[in-house]
Amino acid sequence: VLLPLSAAIALLSAASGLLVLRRQSSPRTELAKALKKGELVAHYQPIIELATGRCIGAEALVRWPRADGSQTPPDMFIPLAEETGLIERVTDQMLAAVIEDLGDLLRDDPHAHVSINLSAVDITTGRILPVLERVLDGSGIQPRQIWLEATERSFIDVDGARATLLELRRRGHRTAIDDFGTGYSGLNYIQNLPIDLLKIDRSFITAVNTEAPTRDVTPYIIAMGHELKLQIIAEGVETENQAEYLRTQGVSFAQGWLYSKALPASAFLVFWTARRR
Ligand code: C2E
Ligand code: MG
Ligand code: MG
Ligand code: MG
């Protein structure tokens, strides 16, 4: 195909312009930059003991504030971080943020805890073990105050997962299966893994007291947790109705907008002072 020279030049410069643009705004590059500059922050969602209504700790949730004042939600960059190998730095920075933000609280109250979300690679390779050791060593914070959440995807490599979970348990950490009910793990291997807590996915909580078909599944998930001798946390509790139902079913803990959204560290400390057990 013969193009007039001017058209060819226009095409070429448009193409290189696109390349430059892509390079400048590649989400991976931006995330890498944010990590380098320490721009990710941790927010804290209170975890409530259903029997008493008191706050027992918090889940750390990553936030990426952008220059324009907006926030990129974790569901938009955690998968990217996992695909591009940046997730390990996300985990490490979140752990550091938790110690920085809530270190005093955790030292003051040995019953308080913080839950951190791990990625599959943290668990299957065991890379989280030396990281936790380094961060906690000499910090005055007990391993049992750091709870670790992992989704069922982390347990696909059962042998790798078991080795890491056993060592976490030996040290005194508590571990939770996150988003339980949305994955595809069989009961058989969950019952063979050293796990302490089961977090019921929000979809099964939303279904409570509605006509949603998953409504009928929720009691079975709770029964399964009890059968496996796991403590149960419900996520995404938005109504008093749901909380009451969960309480009567023997669910131990709850988080959700009924109590609080995830808060910046300073606001969480205020919440904690008012609602701590
Ligand atoms: P998750 O661990 O299951 O966290 C619960 C999500 O539900 C959070 O979304 C929280 O803000 C939201 N949520 C809590 N209560 C309610 C409620 O009552 N109603 C509704 N509609 N939503 C509620 P968020 O913060 O956007 O995080 C999304 C997911 O991103 C998390 O799900 C977790 O899988 C992942 N994530 C967040 N922080 C980290 C992190 O530091 N590391 C890793 N690996 N993953 C993270
Ligand atoms: Mg979680
Ligand atoms: Mg969850
Ligand atoms: Mg969830």
Side-chain angles (χ1 to χ4, degrees), residues 45 59-63 73-79 82 87 90-91 94 116-120 122 149 151 178-179 199 201-202 206 235-239 242 255-262:
Q45 184 171 41
E59 175 178 7
L61 293 160
V62 68
R63 295 291 178 261
D75 288 335
M76 293 199 55
F77 67 89
I78 293 294
E82 284 173 336
I87 191 66
V90 175
T91 303
M94 284 296 284
I116 292 173
N117 290 285
L118 296 183
S119 161
D122 295 317
E149 299 187 2
T151 58
D178 205 350
D179 298 342
K199 283 192 97 160
D201 189 65
R202 175 162 62 90
T206 310
E235 65 177 26
V237 177
E238 295 184 350
T239 70
Q242 294 164 350
Q255 319 169 218
W257 297 349
L258 173 63
Y259 310 103
S260 173
K261 295 196 173 182

Side-chain angles (χ1 to χ4, degrees), residues 1-276:
V1 184
L2 277 177
L3 283 176
L5 188 57
S6 58
I9 288 171
L11 260 179
L12 270 174
S13 68
S16 66
L18 274 178
L19 279 176
V20 169
L21 263 181
R22 272 203 59 197
R23 202 173 299 131
Q24 276 172 350
S25 64
S26 137
R28 186 201 186 277
T29 310
E30 286 195 28
L31 181 57
K33 249 193 248 165
L35 283 161
K36 199 165 186 181
K37 294 195 203 154
E39 287 175 351
L40 299 188
V41 295
H43 280 195
Y44 299 94
Q45 184 171 41
I47 301 180
I48 304 296
E49 182 177 55
L50 278 164
T52 60
R54 310 308 293 174
C55 184
I56 59 151
E59 175 178 7
L61 293 160
V62 68
R63 295 291 178 261
W64 184 5
R66 309 307 295 267
D68 64 2
S70 69
Q71 255 186 23
T72 306
D75 288 335
M76 293 199 55
F77 67 89
I78 293 294
L80 170 80
E82 284 173 336
E83 285 159 24
T84 56
L86 292 172
I87 191 66
E88 306 184 8
R89 287 160 67 192
V90 175
T91 303
D92 295 358
Q93 291 196 8
M94 284 296 284
L95 193 52
V98 161
I99 303 300
E100 167 88 19
D101 293 340
L102 302 189
D104 286 342
L105 182 159
L106 295 167
R107 278 181 287 267
D108 285 352
D109 186 341
H111 298 294
H113 86 273
V114 186
S115 299
I116 292 173
N117 290 285
L118 296 183
S119 161
V121 64
D122 295 317
I123 298 269
T124 51
T125 66
R127 68 165 293 279
I128 195 61
L129 294 169
V131 176
L132 278 166
E133 192 170 29
R134 208 177 314 125
V135 168
L136 293 181
D137 187 40
S139 70
I141 299 163
Q142 305 304 315
R144 69 187 151 72
Q145 298 182 278
I146 307 293
W147 297 9
L148 302 158
E149 299 187 2
T151 58
E152 291 163 69
R153 284 197 305 124
S154 310
F155 308 128
I156 291 172
D157 169 9
V158 189
D159 295 332
R162 184 183 290 104
T164 304
L165 293 168
L166 278 173
E167 175 58 15
L168 289 171
R169 173 169 285 178
R170 194 192 64 76
R171 294 182 189 179
H173 292 290
R174 304 196 78 205
T175 53
I177 309 183
D178 205 350
D179 298 342
F180 187 77
T182 60
Y184 39 82
S185 41
L187 253 186
N188 48 330
Y189 75 84
I190 284 179
Q191 73 183 352
N192 289 316
L193 285 172
I195 289 164
D196 306 299
L197 301 125
L198 184 155
K199 283 192 97 160
I200 305 178
D201 189 65
R202 175 162 62 90
S203 54
F204 300 104
I205 308 305
T206 310
V208 169
N209 294 325
T210 67
E211 296 301 312
T214 41
R215 163 193 67 171
D216 300 326
V217 182
T218 312
Y220 287 99
I221 292 186
I222 295 171
M224 196 182 295
H226 287 144
E227 191 62 35
L228 295 170
K229 307 270 186 291
L230 302 174
Q231 269 193 313
I232 305 175
I233 308 182
E235 65 177 26
V237 177
E238 295 184 350
T239 70
E240 193 51 64
N241 248 337
Q242 294 164 350
E244 184 51 32
Y245 171 80
L246 296 164
R247 210 177 289 122
T248 60
Q249 296 299 307
V251 171
S252 303
F253 309 119
Q255 319 169 218
W257 297 349
L258 173 63
Y259 310 103
S260 173
K261 295 196 173 182
L263 303 167
S266 56
F268 172 69
L269 291 175
V270 173
F271 186 98
W272 173 256
T273 306
R275 293 283 295 267
R276 60 181 283 187

